[in-house]
Structure formats: C-alpha cells, structure tokens
C-alpha cells in the first residue's frame, strides 16, 4: 500500500489531498472497483461530476472501501444544463443523493458560460449558500480563465477555493497558475498526464503524447519511474492538485500514486515546463456554450 498524498490548504483552511482519482469517462460497472482499489491503495480524493453519469457508483465505491467518510475528500460538479440559482440547488441535492452522502468536500461549477455569464454567477451564489449552510466544505470552479475569475469575484463574496483546468506538460498555463496563486486559489489539473492530447486537439508537431517526450522518458529512466509518474511528480513540484483518471488496477495502485518517494530538481522541472506549446487539447472556455457538448 502506498502512503497518502500530501495535503494542500485551501483559502478557507480546508485541507485537500494533492493527488486523487478522476473518473471522467469511467464506465459505471468499472467505477466501483476503481474507487475501492484507489482508496485501498492510499487515495483520499475522488473527483466526479454530474455529467460523468457515475456519481452513484462513486458513492458505492466509497461505502465499500471501509474508510471513514471524514477521511475521503469528495468532489462533484454542477453541469451547464442546471445553471441558475434554484436549479443549481436542486442539482446539488440530486448529486448528494446519488453519492449517498450528507455533505460534499468540494462543489465546482463545471464550465463558465461566457455567453450567459449571469447564470454562471447565479449558480456560484447558490454554491455560496450551500457553503454557508454547511452542506459543502469548499466551493470553486472549473475551466475559468483569469478574465472569468475576475468577473466572478467582482460579483460574488467567496473567492473560489479551487480552479480545475486542463493542465499538462503541453499546456501548463503559467499565467493562469500565477493568477490563481495571487488570489489564494488552488489550481487542480484535469488530464494531468496529457491524455487529452491523445484523443483531441491539434499539436503543432508530430509528437502528440507527453509520455513519449525525450525530456520525460529520460527522467523516467534516471529515476526508475514511468513517464506518467514523472509528469505527476512535476505537477506535485508545482503545488498543483492532479486527478489522473484510470480504471486499471495496476495504474491506480502501483503507478499513479507512487510519486511521493522521489523529487525532481528545479532544472528538471524547468525542462518539462519548456514543453509547453500553449495549445489546448480540450474545449476553449471562452467558446463553451450549452450546445458545445453532446
């Protein structure tokens, strides 16, 4: 069994593990064993979303793990079709029921809606009420640019605790990370190993997989680690929270969590930083609308 991830302190004092399990696109029948395997092997953060369609299975996996609820940090997200103050509150209740929990550790807005940002603000105000009522321990957003965050913070009372965004060696978002740090927001990385580059987006050269980059494979050989472990350690060195997704037991148990017994030097971190292309693999948050996703 691997040791637990170090903890990051959010801007309201709540502590969140720096690495967790993501379940995006995890089939329902594989989600329960993936969650239980993760918890048995030291994971204490599970990230899901209403849009993933597997909140119920995440809840079952947590219940079967035998680990106390207070020791598991659970995240879910509000989907675009439920944006608006009252509808957000209803959607939260639905998510909580599916998860089988009496509270959440972190509730996130899944995307900004730039074309109707008033509904994003209204949804966040609903999240503020959930926070005030003690139904969630922290609130935040996903996929927000500095411009989105500036607008949101000007119109609401609670600075987001977390901003979950696409972040990997090909798209490392240094300006956004700096903005988040200035405002006390923890940056959380979806697709932290760069999986999104393998199934979407266009790269300016022929290399589409960070796992095959010589700067990363060379470090993997040097440390006796896998390329994925090198990338996850790079995330940790930047004080990010990474949520790699997997349903494969060996990756969950032996690979993704095994990144706390070594460290990278500043020079090695900079070598991975240099891989940044500025090119997204996923959707552009400035262009997301209700019809962006099927």
């Amino acid at each position: 069994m691997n040791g637990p991830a170090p903890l990051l302190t959010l801007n309201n004092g709540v502590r969140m593990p720096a690495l967790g399990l993501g379940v995006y696109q995890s089939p329902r029948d594989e989600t329960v064993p993936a969650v239980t395997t993760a918890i048995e092997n030291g994971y204490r953060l599970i990230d899901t979303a209403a849009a993933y369609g597997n909140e119920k299975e995440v809840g079952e996996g947590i219940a079967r793990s035998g680990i106390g609820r207070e020791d598991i940090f659970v995240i879910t997200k509000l989907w675009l079709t439920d944006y608006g103050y009252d509808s957000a509150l209803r959607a939260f209740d639905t998510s909580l029921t599916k998860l089988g929990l009496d509270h959440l550790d972190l509730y996130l807005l899944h995307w900004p809606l730039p074309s109707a940002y008033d509904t994003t603000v209204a949804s966040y105000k609903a999240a503020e009420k959930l926070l005030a009522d003690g139904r969630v321990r922290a609130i935040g957003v996903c996929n927000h640019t500095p411009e989105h965050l500036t607008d949101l913070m000007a119109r609401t009372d609670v600075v987001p605790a977390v901003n979950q965004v696409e972040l990997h060696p090909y798209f490392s978002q240094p300006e956004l990370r700096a903005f988040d740090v200035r405002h006390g927001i923890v940056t959380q990385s979806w697709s932290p190993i760069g999986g999104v580059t393998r199934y979407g987006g266009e790269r300016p050269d022929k290399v589409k997989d960070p796992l095959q980059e010589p700067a990363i494979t060379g470090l993997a050989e040097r440390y006796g680690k896998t390329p994925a472990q090198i990338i996850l350690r790079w995330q940790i060195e930047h004080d990010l929270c990474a949520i790699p997704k997997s349903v494969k037991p060996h990756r969950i148990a032996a690979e993704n969590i095994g990144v706390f017994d070594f460290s990278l030097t500043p020079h090695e971190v900079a070598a991975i930083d240099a891989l940044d292309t500025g090119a997204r693999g996923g959707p552009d948050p400035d262009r997301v609308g209700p019809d962006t996703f099927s």
Side-chain angles (χ1 to χ4, degrees):
M1 176 174 169
N2 296 290
L7 300 174
L8 300 171
T9 301
L10 304 183
N11 56 21
N12 64 351
V14 169
R15 304 186 80 192
M16 176 178 73
L19 187 142
L21 176 72
V23 296
Y24 171 62
Q25 290 186 330
S26 297
R28 290 178 181 176
D29 61 339
E30 297 179 29
T31 298
V32 174
V35 170
T36 54
T37 296
I39 295 173
E40 287 169 358
N41 285 276
Y43 289 77
R44 292 296 179 264
L45 184 155
I46 309 295
D47 174 87
T48 185
Y52 300 168
N54 54 20
E55 288 173 312
K56 180 175 181 290
E57 288 72 25
V58 166
E60 289 180 12
I62 292 170
R64 291 185 189 181
S65 73
I67 298 296
R69 169 69 183 94
E70 68 278 5
D71 294 322
I72 308 293
F73 194 99
V74 184
I75 306 171
T76 196
K77 310 178 192 78
L78 177 71
W79 187 239
L80 297 169
T81 50
D82 291 314
Y83 275 24
Y85 188 86
D86 292 333
S87 53
L89 294 176
R90 288 193 297 269
F92 177 87
D93 287 338
T94 299
S95 287
L96 210 58
T97 298
K98 288 181 178 179
L99 286 160
L101 302 176
D102 61 3
H103 73 280
L104 270 181
D105 297 286
L106 178 63
Y107 196 45
L108 303 174
L109 273 59
H110 211 141
W111 288 91
L113 263 181
S115 62
Y117 202 72
D118 285 351
T119 62
T120 305
V121 173
S123 302
Y124 193 79
K125 288 182 176 180
E128 288 181 318
K129 174 173 172 51
L130 294 167
L131 180 67
D133 290 347
R135 305 191 67 201
V136 60
R137 297 173 65 217
I139 60 175
V141 296
C142 303
N143 304 301
H144 272 52
T145 66
E147 292 74 23
H148 298 146
L149 287 166
T150 299
D151 189 1
L152 183 69
M153 290 188 293
R155 300 166 65 182
T156 55
D157 296 322
V158 178
V159 175
V162 171
N163 184 20
Q164 186 186 116
V165 298
E166 177 186 347
L167 204 158
H168 47 79
Y170 286 160
F171 191 63
S172 59
Q173 303 225 58
E175 295 83 7
L176 173 65
R177 284 190 280 122
F179 180 95
D180 285 352
V181 168
R182 286 197 301 274
H183 293 277
I185 302 169
V186 169
T187 305
Q188 190 172 57
S189 308
W190 64 259
S191 194
I193 300 171
V196 69
T197 66
R198 293 188 286 278
Y199 57 77
E202 291 297 327
R203 288 270 290 126
D205 54 52
K206 294 182 180 179
V207 178
K208 292 182 69 72
D209 189 351
L211 297 176
Q212 297 176 14
E213 284 284 353
I216 291 168
T217 58
L219 288 171
E221 292 179 12
R222 180 180 306 170
Y223 286 101
K225 294 290 184 176
T226 66
Q229 287 174 318
I230 295 298
I231 294 174
L232 290 173
R233 185 67 217 186
W234 168 80
Q235 297 264 359
I236 298 298
E237 301 288 0
H238 275 302
D239 294 323
L240 303 168
C241 176
I243 45 171
K245 69 183 184 70
S246 182
V247 293
K248 297 180 179 179
H250 71 280
R251 286 199 182 153
I252 294 171
E255 184 173 4
N256 290 349
I257 194 73
V259 297
F260 304 118
D261 58 352
F262 77 107
S263 59
L264 300 175
T265 68
H267 178 75
E268 291 165 343
V269 170
I272 299 175
D273 290 345
L275 299 174
D276 182 39
T277 67
R280 293 181 183 277
D284 182 348
D286 281 324
R287 300 185 177 184
V288 165
D291 301 324
T292 300
F293 308 93
S294 59

